[in-house]
Amino acid sequence: TYIDCFKGSSGINAEYGHRSATSDHNKPQEIYAVNGIKFHPTYGTLATVGSDGKFAFWDKDARTKLKGSEQLDNTITCCDFNHNGSYFAYASSYDWSKGHMYHNPQQKNYLFVRQVKDELKPRKK
């Protein structure tokens, strides 16, 4: 998963999204909505969460992904850091990106909290 920007018909940056990795360049990539972006309070790096059920940590200045997550069974709808950035919390629930037909009321919602250490430090230049 990575976040990328592409230009709309007007020539300005129009969309951001998590994208699927594909080795077949003849197949179009699936693009997923980014449901949350939060900046680390100390390092200035950022976290994104998306409809693909993954989170990613980014070094915005170096334009590189620091860490990606495994895919959850459901989308990740929001995220945040605690006051000093030592914990990262994110919620998994249906985000309606595929419409009401894919909503499963029996699927549980989850809140995850994980300790983060150096994985959000920017890369040295």
Side-chain angles (χ1 to χ4, degrees):
T1 306
Y2 67 94
I3 189 170
D4 200 5
C5 175
F6 56 93
K7 294 187 182 289
S9 59
S10 63
I12 60 172
N13 296 335
E15 305 271 344
Y16 289 88
H18 277 213
R19 295 180 180 209
S20 63
T22 180
S23 58
D24 185 353
H25 296 292
N26 295 323
K27 283 187 172 182
Q29 285 183 319
E30 291 188 44
I31 300 174
Y32 300 92
V34 173
N35 293 329
I37 300 174
K38 290 293 178 175
F39 285 87
H40 190 274
T42 305
Y43 301 131
T45 51
L46 61 106
T48 60
V49 296
S51 292
D52 58 351
K54 297 178 183 180
F55 69 80
F57 298 150
W58 303 92
D59 181 339
K60 65 179 177 23
D61 297 327
R63 295 178 160 221
T64 58
K65 184 179 357 180
L66 299 170
K67 179 180 181 67
S69 73
E70 297 294 321
Q71 188 170 13
L72 299 179
D73 291 335
N74 213 342
T75 60
I76 302 177
T77 54
C78 60
C79 66
D80 208 347
F81 292 100
N82 69 327
H83 71 284
N84 66 2
S86 59
Y87 287 94
F88 175 66
Y90 55 101
S92 175
S93 65
Y94 188 65
D95 70 354
W96 301 97
S97 61
K98 292 184 178 180
H100 74 280
M101 297 169 294
Y102 289 90
H103 179 246
N104 178 357
Q106 279 71 46
Q107 193 164 24
K108 293 183 178 183
N109 302 323
Y110 293 97
L111 178 64
F112 300 93
V113 180
R114 60 184 305 244
Q115 190 173 17
V116 292
K117 296 185 180 187
D118 293 340
E119 56 196 336
L120 277 140
K121 277 189 179 178
R123 295 211 171 119
K124 293 184 180 180
K125 296 179 183 180

